Amino acid sequence: MNEDAPFWDKIAAKYAKDAIRDEAAYRQALSRTASYLKPEDRVLELGCGTGSTAIELAPQVAEITASDLSQEMLVIGRERAKAAAVDNIRFHHGSVAQAPEGAFDVVLAHNLLHLLPDLNAALAVVASRLPKGGLFISKTPCLGEARGSAKYYLFKTMIPVMRFFGKAPGSAVHFFDISCLDDAVEAAGFAVVETGSYPVSTPGRYIVARRL
């Protein structure tokens, strides 16, 4: 199991209570994602956290499997789904490498890829869970786009300090450039269908890609 699981377990309750940092950007990405979903779709969400996105999207699809490496996050997710009377979400405990077998019609990974130890290995897992024509929809902070700015150096300085004090996960946070992220998705066997930045300021790179 991923070494970061204890960190996410520890902060699960606070994470669930915190407001979404940029509600407008979240809603925009959610709306674009919903536009690709069909009533018959089987969806896999990797890094589902406390289930907010899965619960929002569940009424539009046949089934969502919401997976996360934190048991505590999943406990909250199950409680939220029950409270919302959503009964087509199946919660799964495991890392990306331990994702349930497909095939799924759509795989989601929002605010996850920059936190994983091996991007290419994660994308290979995604590809293995999708048939030809299946969709991979992701949103990833691309901190590398701020390279050379004061914000970039602040991130670079603060993340190790936060990690030392247990305020950030133990594994490295990747500072992706948009071009590198796009290239990695295409190299994993996908054709990019749509891109966006939600929010623009980070940017939060939004990618819809189709399995070749």
Side-chain angles (χ1 to χ4, degrees), residues 113 119-120 123 127 136 138 178-195 205 207-212:
L113 299 181
L119 173 63
N120 293 331
L123 293 174
F136 174 46
S138 63
I178 283 175
S179 61
C180 293
L181 182 61
D182 289 358
D183 289 348
V185 170
E186 290 182 339
F190 292 90
V192 173
V193 175
E194 177 184 338
T195 61
R205 184 63 164 176
I207 302 175
V208 180
R210 192 175 303 279
R211 180 80 165 88
L212 297 175

PDB file of all heavy atoms in Angstrom, residues 113 119-120 123 127 136 138 178-195 205 207-212:
ATOM      1  N   LEU A 113      -2.619  13.200 -10.473  1.00  0.00           N
ATOM      2  CA  LEU A 113      -1.412  12.752 -11.174  1.00  0.00           C
ATOM      3  C   LEU A 113      -0.133  13.374 -10.648  1.00  0.00           C
ATOM      4  O   LEU A 113       0.927  12.729 -10.633  1.00  0.00           O
ATOM      5  CB  LEU A 113      -1.540  13.032 -12.680  1.00  0.00           C
ATOM      6  CG  LEU A 113      -2.692  12.321 -13.398  1.00  0.00           C
ATOM      7  CD1 LEU A 113      -2.677  12.670 -14.879  1.00  0.00           C
ATOM      8  CD2 LEU A 113      -2.625  10.808 -13.204  1.00  0.00           C
ATOM      9  N   LEU A 119       4.330   8.793 -13.017  1.00  0.00           N
ATOM     10  CA  LEU A 119       3.251   9.189 -13.925  1.00  0.00           C
ATOM     11  C   LEU A 119       3.033   8.158 -15.021  1.00  0.00           C
ATOM     12  O   LEU A 119       1.896   7.768 -15.307  1.00  0.00           O
ATOM     13  CB  LEU A 119       3.556  10.550 -14.542  1.00  0.00           C
ATOM     14  CG  LEU A 119       2.599  11.030 -15.644  1.00  0.00           C
ATOM     15  CD1 LEU A 119       1.189  11.206 -15.094  1.00  0.00           C
ATOM     16  CD2 LEU A 119       3.114  12.316 -16.268  1.00  0.00           C
ATOM     17  N   ASN A 120       4.116   7.703 -15.645  1.00  0.00           N
ATOM     18  CA  ASN A 120       3.973   6.772 -16.771  1.00  0.00           C
ATOM     19  C   ASN A 120       3.361   5.451 -16.336  1.00  0.00           C
ATOM     20  O   ASN A 120       2.532   4.873 -17.058  1.00  0.00           O
ATOM     21  CB  ASN A 120       5.338   6.541 -17.427  1.00  0.00           C
ATOM     22  CG  ASN A 120       5.864   7.785 -18.113  1.00  0.00           C
ATOM     23  OD1 ASN A 120       5.086   8.623 -18.583  1.00  0.00           O
ATOM     24  ND2 ASN A 120       7.173   7.938 -18.166  1.00  0.00           N
ATOM     25  N   LEU A 123      -0.387   6.051 -15.864  1.00  0.00           N
ATOM     26  CA  LEU A 123      -1.093   6.140 -17.144  1.00  0.00           C
ATOM     27  C   LEU A 123      -1.219   4.774 -17.804  1.00  0.00           C
ATOM     28  O   LEU A 123      -2.216   4.502 -18.480  1.00  0.00           O
ATOM     29  CB  LEU A 123      -0.371   7.120 -18.064  1.00  0.00           C
ATOM     30  CG  LEU A 123      -0.404   8.592 -17.620  1.00  0.00           C
ATOM     31  CD1 LEU A 123       0.460   9.444 -18.535  1.00  0.00           C
ATOM     32  CD2 LEU A 123      -1.837   9.119 -17.588  1.00  0.00           C
ATOM     33  N   ALA A 127      -4.714   3.088 -18.994  1.00  0.00           N
ATOM     34  CA  ALA A 127      -4.906   2.526 -20.329  1.00  0.00           C
ATOM     35  C   ALA A 127      -5.372   1.071 -20.263  1.00  0.00           C
ATOM     36  O   ALA A 127      -6.198   0.636 -21.076  1.00  0.00           O
ATOM     37  CB  ALA A 127      -3.619   2.640 -21.136  1.00  0.00           C
ATOM     38  N   PHE A 136     -10.319   8.902 -20.919  1.00  0.00           N
ATOM     39  CA  PHE A 136      -9.596   9.247 -19.705  1.00  0.00           C
ATOM     40  C   PHE A 136      -9.732  10.754 -19.514  1.00  0.00           C
ATOM     41  O   PHE A 136      -9.360  11.538 -20.391  1.00  0.00           O
ATOM     42  CB  PHE A 136      -8.121   8.864 -19.838  1.00  0.00           C
ATOM     43  CG  PHE A 136      -7.270   9.314 -18.685  1.00  0.00           C
ATOM     44  CD1 PHE A 136      -7.678   9.137 -17.377  1.00  0.00           C
ATOM     45  CD2 PHE A 136      -6.039   9.923 -18.911  1.00  0.00           C
ATOM     46  CE1 PHE A 136      -6.893   9.553 -16.303  1.00  0.00           C
ATOM     47  CE2 PHE A 136      -5.241  10.335 -17.856  1.00  0.00           C
ATOM     48  CZ  PHE A 136      -5.664  10.152 -16.554  1.00  0.00           C
ATOM     49  N   SER A 138      -8.912  13.914 -16.901  1.00  0.00           N
ATOM     50  CA  SER A 138      -8.088  14.275 -15.753  1.00  0.00           C
ATOM     51  C   SER A 138      -7.959  15.779 -15.610  1.00  0.00           C
ATOM     52  O   SER A 138      -8.146  16.531 -16.574  1.00  0.00           O
ATOM     53  CB  SER A 138      -6.686  13.653 -15.885  1.00  0.00           C
ATOM     54  OG  SER A 138      -6.012  14.177 -17.027  1.00  0.00           O
ATOM     55  N   ILE A 178       2.740  21.791 -18.810  1.00  0.00           N
ATOM     56  CA  ILE A 178       1.589  21.350 -19.596  1.00  0.00           C
ATOM     57  C   ILE A 178       2.028  20.452 -20.746  1.00  0.00           C
ATOM     58  O   ILE A 178       1.439  19.395 -20.986  1.00  0.00           O
ATOM     59  CB  ILE A 178       0.799  22.571 -20.120  1.00  0.00           C
ATOM     60  CG1 ILE A 178      -0.040  23.173 -18.998  1.00  0.00           C
ATOM     61  CG2 ILE A 178      -0.101  22.180 -21.292  1.00  0.00           C
ATOM     62  CD1 ILE A 178      -0.769  24.444 -19.375  1.00  0.00           C
ATOM     63  N   SER A 179       3.059  20.855 -21.472  1.00  0.00           N
ATOM     64  CA  SER A 179       3.491  20.074 -22.634  1.00  0.00           C
ATOM     65  C   SER A 179       3.959  18.682 -22.233  1.00  0.00           C
ATOM     66  O   SER A 179       3.673  17.696 -22.924  1.00  0.00           O
ATOM     67  CB  SER A 179       4.598  20.816 -23.396  1.00  0.00           C
ATOM     68  OG  SER A 179       5.725  21.021 -22.566  1.00  0.00           O
ATOM     69  N   CYS A 180       4.662  18.583 -21.107  1.00  0.00           N
ATOM     70  CA  CYS A 180       5.143  17.274 -20.647  1.00  0.00           C
ATOM     71  C   CYS A 180       3.981  16.368 -20.256  1.00  0.00           C
ATOM     72  O   CYS A 180       3.991  15.164 -20.555  1.00  0.00           O
ATOM     73  CB  CYS A 180       6.093  17.443 -19.475  1.00  0.00           C
ATOM     74  SG  CYS A 180       7.654  18.245 -19.887  1.00  0.00           S
ATOM     75  N   LEU A 181       2.983  16.944 -19.586  1.00  0.00           N
ATOM     76  CA  LEU A 181       1.821  16.161 -19.185  1.00  0.00           C
ATOM     77  C   LEU A 181       1.049  15.685 -20.413  1.00  0.00           C
ATOM     78  O   LEU A 181       0.686  14.507 -20.521  1.00  0.00           O
ATOM     79  CB  LEU A 181       0.921  16.987 -18.275  1.00  0.00           C
ATOM     80  CG  LEU A 181      -0.324  16.290 -17.723  1.00  0.00           C
ATOM     81  CD1 LEU A 181       0.058  15.089 -16.869  1.00  0.00           C
ATOM     82  CD2 LEU A 181      -1.169  17.270 -16.906  1.00  0.00           C
ATOM     83  N   ASP A 182       0.801  16.585 -21.351  1.00  0.00           N
ATOM     84  CA  ASP A 182       0.096  16.212 -22.584  1.00  0.00           C
ATOM     85  C   ASP A 182       0.849  15.119 -23.334  1.00  0.00           C
ATOM     86  O   ASP A 182       0.248  14.151 -23.817  1.00  0.00           O
ATOM     87  CB  ASP A 182      -0.073  17.425 -23.490  1.00  0.00           C
ATOM     88  CG  ASP A 182      -1.075  18.441 -22.955  1.00  0.00           C
ATOM     89  OD1 ASP A 182      -1.663  18.196 -21.897  1.00  0.00           O
ATOM     90  OD2 ASP A 182      -1.259  19.478 -23.617  1.00  0.00           O
ATOM     91  N   ASP A 183       2.161  15.267 -23.433  1.00  0.00           N
ATOM     92  CA  ASP A 183       2.978  14.284 -24.146  1.00  0.00           C
ATOM     93  C   ASP A 183       2.909  12.920 -23.478  1.00  0.00           C
ATOM     94  O   ASP A 183       2.857  11.882 -24.154  1.00  0.00           O
ATOM     95  CB  ASP A 183       4.428  14.748 -24.228  1.00  0.00           C
ATOM     96  CG  ASP A 183       4.626  15.924 -25.178  1.00  0.00           C
ATOM     97  OD1 ASP A 183       3.695  16.236 -25.945  1.00  0.00           O
ATOM     98  OD2 ASP A 183       5.715  16.528 -25.139  1.00  0.00           O
ATOM     99  N   ALA A 184       2.919  12.908 -22.142  1.00  0.00           N
ATOM    100  CA  ALA A 184       2.870  11.636 -21.416  1.00  0.00           C
ATOM    101  C   ALA A 184       1.546  10.923 -21.654  1.00  0.00           C
ATOM    102  O   ALA A 184       1.512   9.696 -21.825  1.00  0.00           O
ATOM    103  CB  ALA A 184       3.085  11.878 -19.924  1.00  0.00           C
ATOM    104  N   VAL A 185       0.452  11.679 -21.676  1.00  0.00           N
ATOM    105  CA  VAL A 185      -0.859  11.082 -21.933  1.00  0.00           C
ATOM    106  C   VAL A 185      -0.899  10.486 -23.341  1.00  0.00           C
ATOM    107  O   VAL A 185      -1.376   9.349 -23.536  1.00  0.00           O
ATOM    108  CB  VAL A 185      -1.975  12.131 -21.745  1.00  0.00           C
ATOM    109  CG1 VAL A 185      -3.320  11.600 -22.236  1.00  0.00           C
ATOM    110  CG2 VAL A 185      -2.080  12.545 -20.273  1.00  0.00           C
ATOM    111  N   GLU A 186      -0.397  11.207 -24.316  1.00  0.00           N
ATOM    112  CA  GLU A 186      -0.391  10.704 -25.690  1.00  0.00           C
ATOM    113  C   GLU A 186       0.521   9.488 -25.827  1.00  0.00           C
ATOM    114  O   GLU A 186       0.190   8.524 -26.525  1.00  0.00           O
ATOM    115  CB  GLU A 186       0.032  11.811 -26.641  1.00  0.00           C
ATOM    116  CG  GLU A 186      -1.024  12.911 -26.769  1.00  0.00           C
ATOM    117  CD  GLU A 186      -0.628  14.003 -27.744  1.00  0.00           C
ATOM    118  OE1 GLU A 186       0.580  14.145 -28.025  1.00  0.00           O
ATOM    119  OE2 GLU A 186      -1.531  14.718 -28.230  1.00  0.00           O
ATOM    120  N   ALA A 187       1.670   9.511 -25.142  1.00  0.00           N
ATOM    121  CA  ALA A 187       2.613   8.384 -25.215  1.00  0.00           C
ATOM    122  C   ALA A 187       2.033   7.116 -24.585  1.00  0.00           C
ATOM    123  O   ALA A 187       2.450   6.003 -24.925  1.00  0.00           O
ATOM    124  CB  ALA A 187       3.926   8.754 -24.525  1.00  0.00           C
ATOM    125  N   ALA A 188       1.059   7.282 -23.690  1.00  0.00           N
ATOM    126  CA  ALA A 188       0.434   6.130 -23.037  1.00  0.00           C
ATOM    127  C   ALA A 188      -0.637   5.483 -23.906  1.00  0.00           C
ATOM    128  O   ALA A 188      -1.263   4.504 -23.488  1.00  0.00           O
ATOM    129  CB  ALA A 188      -0.164   6.561 -21.700  1.00  0.00           C
ATOM    130  N   GLY A 189      -0.853   6.030 -25.107  1.00  0.00           N
ATOM    131  CA  GLY A 189      -1.791   5.416 -26.036  1.00  0.00           C
ATOM    132  C   GLY A 189      -3.121   6.126 -26.130  1.00  0.00           C
ATOM    133  O   GLY A 189      -4.152   5.488 -26.383  1.00  0.00           O
ATOM    134  N   PHE A 190      -3.103   7.442 -25.950  1.00  0.00           N
ATOM    135  CA  PHE A 190      -4.328   8.232 -26.004  1.00  0.00           C
ATOM    136  C   PHE A 190      -4.228   9.345 -27.044  1.00  0.00           C
ATOM    137  O   PHE A 190      -3.137   9.840 -27.331  1.00  0.00           O
ATOM    138  CB  PHE A 190      -4.613   8.886 -24.644  1.00  0.00           C
ATOM    139  CG  PHE A 190      -4.964   7.924 -23.553  1.00  0.00           C
ATOM    140  CD1 PHE A 190      -3.978   7.376 -22.746  1.00  0.00           C
ATOM    141  CD2 PHE A 190      -6.281   7.547 -23.338  1.00  0.00           C
ATOM    142  CE1 PHE A 190      -4.298   6.483 -21.730  1.00  0.00           C
ATOM    143  CE2 PHE A 190      -6.615   6.659 -22.326  1.00  0.00           C
ATOM    144  CZ  PHE A 190      -5.616   6.123 -21.523  1.00  0.00           C
ATOM    145  N   ALA A 191      -5.361   9.736 -27.581  1.00  0.00           N
ATOM    146  CA  ALA A 191      -5.471  10.921 -28.425  1.00  0.00           C
ATOM    147  C   ALA A 191      -6.219  11.984 -27.636  1.00  0.00           C
ATOM    148  O   ALA A 191      -7.320  11.733 -27.134  1.00  0.00           O
ATOM    149  CB  ALA A 191      -6.227  10.604 -29.715  1.00  0.00           C
ATOM    150  N   VAL A 192      -5.620  13.150 -27.492  1.00  0.00           N
ATOM    151  CA  VAL A 192      -6.247  14.225 -26.722  1.00  0.00           C
ATOM    152  C   VAL A 192      -7.429  14.790 -27.497  1.00  0.00           C
ATOM    153  O   VAL A 192      -7.307  15.163 -28.663  1.00  0.00           O
ATOM    154  CB  VAL A 192      -5.228  15.326 -26.395  1.00  0.00           C
ATOM    155  CG1 VAL A 192      -5.920  16.520 -25.737  1.00  0.00           C
ATOM    156  CG2 VAL A 192      -4.130  14.783 -25.479  1.00  0.00           C
ATOM    157  N   VAL A 193      -8.575  14.865 -26.839  1.00  0.00           N
ATOM    158  CA  VAL A 193      -9.827  15.324 -27.448  1.00  0.00           C
ATOM    159  C   VAL A 193     -10.121  16.770 -27.062  1.00  0.00           C
ATOM    160  O   VAL A 193     -10.583  17.568 -27.877  1.00  0.00           O
ATOM    161  CB  VAL A 193     -11.001  14.418 -27.006  1.00  0.00           C
ATOM    162  CG1 VAL A 193     -12.334  14.950 -27.533  1.00  0.00           C
ATOM    163  CG2 VAL A 193     -10.771  12.986 -27.463  1.00  0.00           C
ATOM    164  N   GLU A 194      -9.866  17.113 -25.808  1.00  0.00           N
ATOM    165  CA  GLU A 194     -10.172  18.453 -25.303  1.00  0.00           C
ATOM    166  C   GLU A 194      -9.192  18.800 -24.202  1.00  0.00           C
ATOM    167  O   GLU A 194      -8.779  17.931 -23.419  1.00  0.00           O
ATOM    168  CB  GLU A 194     -11.597  18.517 -24.745  1.00  0.00           C
ATOM    169  CG  GLU A 194     -11.958  19.861 -24.136  1.00  0.00           C
ATOM    170  CD  GLU A 194     -13.343  19.895 -23.486  1.00  0.00           C
ATOM    171  OE1 GLU A 194     -14.191  19.049 -23.856  1.00  0.00           O
ATOM    172  OE2 GLU A 194     -13.565  20.751 -22.614  1.00  0.00           O
ATOM    173  N   THR A 195      -8.809  20.065 -24.121  1.00  0.00           N
ATOM    174  CA  THR A 195      -7.994  20.545 -23.019  1.00  0.00           C
ATOM    175  C   THR A 195      -8.558  21.872 -22.515  1.00  0.00           C
ATOM    176  O   THR A 195      -9.316  22.551 -23.200  1.00  0.00           O
ATOM    177  CB  THR A 195      -6.524  20.764 -23.430  1.00  0.00           C
ATOM    178  OG1 THR A 195      -6.464  21.753 -24.469  1.00  0.00           O
ATOM    179  CG2 THR A 195      -5.883  19.464 -23.910  1.00  0.00           C
ATOM    180  N   ARG A 205      -4.504  21.840 -15.442  1.00  0.00           N
ATOM    181  CA  ARG A 205      -4.639  21.315 -16.795  1.00  0.00           C
ATOM    182  C   ARG A 205      -5.726  20.257 -16.871  1.00  0.00           C
ATOM    183  O   ARG A 205      -5.640  19.199 -16.233  1.00  0.00           O
ATOM    184  CB  ARG A 205      -3.313  20.716 -17.260  1.00  0.00           C
ATOM    185  CG  ARG A 205      -3.299  20.217 -18.712  1.00  0.00           C
ATOM    186  CD  ARG A 205      -3.528  21.334 -19.686  1.00  0.00           C
ATOM    187  NE  ARG A 205      -3.164  20.971 -21.056  1.00  0.00           N
ATOM    188  CZ  ARG A 205      -3.360  21.767 -22.093  1.00  0.00           C
ATOM    189  NH1 ARG A 205      -3.918  22.959 -21.926  1.00  0.00           N
ATOM    190  NH2 ARG A 205      -2.990  21.385 -23.302  1.00  0.00           N
ATOM    191  N   ILE A 207      -7.725  17.574 -19.186  1.00  0.00           N
ATOM    192  CA  ILE A 207      -7.500  16.803 -20.404  1.00  0.00           C
ATOM    193  C   ILE A 207      -8.579  15.746 -20.547  1.00  0.00           C
ATOM    194  O   ILE A 207      -8.871  15.000 -19.611  1.00  0.00           O
ATOM    195  CB  ILE A 207      -6.127  16.095 -20.388  1.00  0.00           C
ATOM    196  CG1 ILE A 207      -4.982  17.102 -20.230  1.00  0.00           C
ATOM    197  CG2 ILE A 207      -5.933  15.261 -21.659  1.00  0.00           C
ATOM    198  CD1 ILE A 207      -3.610  16.436 -20.076  1.00  0.00           C
ATOM    199  N   VAL A 208      -9.174  15.694 -21.722  1.00  0.00           N
ATOM    200  CA  VAL A 208     -10.029  14.572 -22.115  1.00  0.00           C
ATOM    201  C   VAL A 208      -9.296  13.841 -23.230  1.00  0.00           C
ATOM    202  O   VAL A 208      -8.932  14.453 -24.234  1.00  0.00           O
ATOM    203  CB  VAL A 208     -11.404  15.042 -22.614  1.00  0.00           C
ATOM    204  CG1 VAL A 208     -12.271  13.847 -23.014  1.00  0.00           C
ATOM    205  CG2 VAL A 208     -12.107  15.878 -21.551  1.00  0.00           C
ATOM    206  N   ALA A 209      -9.051  12.545 -23.034  1.00  0.00           N
ATOM    207  CA  ALA A 209      -8.271  11.782 -24.016  1.00  0.00           C
ATOM    208  C   ALA A 209      -8.965  10.459 -24.313  1.00  0.00           C
ATOM    209  O   ALA A 209      -9.538   9.837 -23.406  1.00  0.00           O
ATOM    210  CB  ALA A 209      -6.860  11.539 -23.495  1.00  0.00           C
ATOM    211  N   ARG A 210      -8.879  10.040 -25.559  1.00  0.00           N
ATOM    212  CA  ARG A 210      -9.534   8.807 -26.000  1.00  0.00           C
ATOM    213  C   ARG A 210      -8.500   7.709 -26.225  1.00  0.00           C
ATOM    214  O   ARG A 210      -7.469   7.927 -26.866  1.00  0.00           O
ATOM    215  CB  ARG A 210     -10.327   9.060 -27.282  1.00  0.00           C
ATOM    216  CG  ARG A 210     -11.266   7.924 -27.658  1.00  0.00           C
ATOM    217  CD  ARG A 210     -12.115   8.273 -28.876  1.00  0.00           C
ATOM    218  NE  ARG A 210     -12.895   9.491 -28.697  1.00  0.00           N
ATOM    219  CZ  ARG A 210     -14.046   9.542 -28.041  1.00  0.00           C
ATOM    220  NH1 ARG A 210     -14.558   8.431 -27.504  1.00  0.00           N
ATOM    221  NH2 ARG A 210     -14.706  10.680 -27.923  1.00  0.00           N
ATOM    222  N   ARG A 211      -8.786   6.517 -25.710  1.00  0.00           N
ATOM    223  CA  ARG A 211      -7.877   5.369 -25.836  1.00  0.00           C
ATOM    224  C   ARG A 211      -7.806   4.939 -27.287  1.00  0.00           C
ATOM    225  O   ARG A 211      -8.827   4.696 -27.936  1.00  0.00           O
ATOM    226  CB  ARG A 211      -8.397   4.217 -24.973  1.00  0.00           C
ATOM    227  CG  ARG A 211      -7.535   2.958 -25.010  1.00  0.00           C
ATOM    228  CD  ARG A 211      -6.344   3.101 -24.106  1.00  0.00           C
ATOM    229  NE  ARG A 211      -5.722   1.804 -23.849  1.00  0.00           N
ATOM    230  CZ  ARG A 211      -4.770   1.254 -24.637  1.00  0.00           C
ATOM    231  NH1 ARG A 211      -4.337   1.889 -25.701  1.00  0.00           N
ATOM    232  NH2 ARG A 211      -4.272   0.080 -24.315  1.00  0.00           N
ATOM    233  N   LEU A 212      -6.594   4.849 -27.819  1.00  0.00           N
ATOM    234  CA  LEU A 212      -6.397   4.430 -29.213  1.00  0.00           C
ATOM    235  C   LEU A 212      -6.415   2.911 -29.336  1.00  0.00           C
ATOM    236  O   LEU A 212      -6.146   2.190 -28.394  1.00  0.00           O
ATOM    237  CB  LEU A 212      -5.063   4.982 -29.715  1.00  0.00           C
ATOM    238  CG  LEU A 212      -4.955   6.511 -29.764  1.00  0.00           C
ATOM    239  CD1 LEU A 212      -3.562   6.924 -30.162  1.00  0.00           C
ATOM    240  CD2 LEU A 212      -5.995   7.094 -30.728  1.00  0.00           C
TER     241      LEU A 212
END
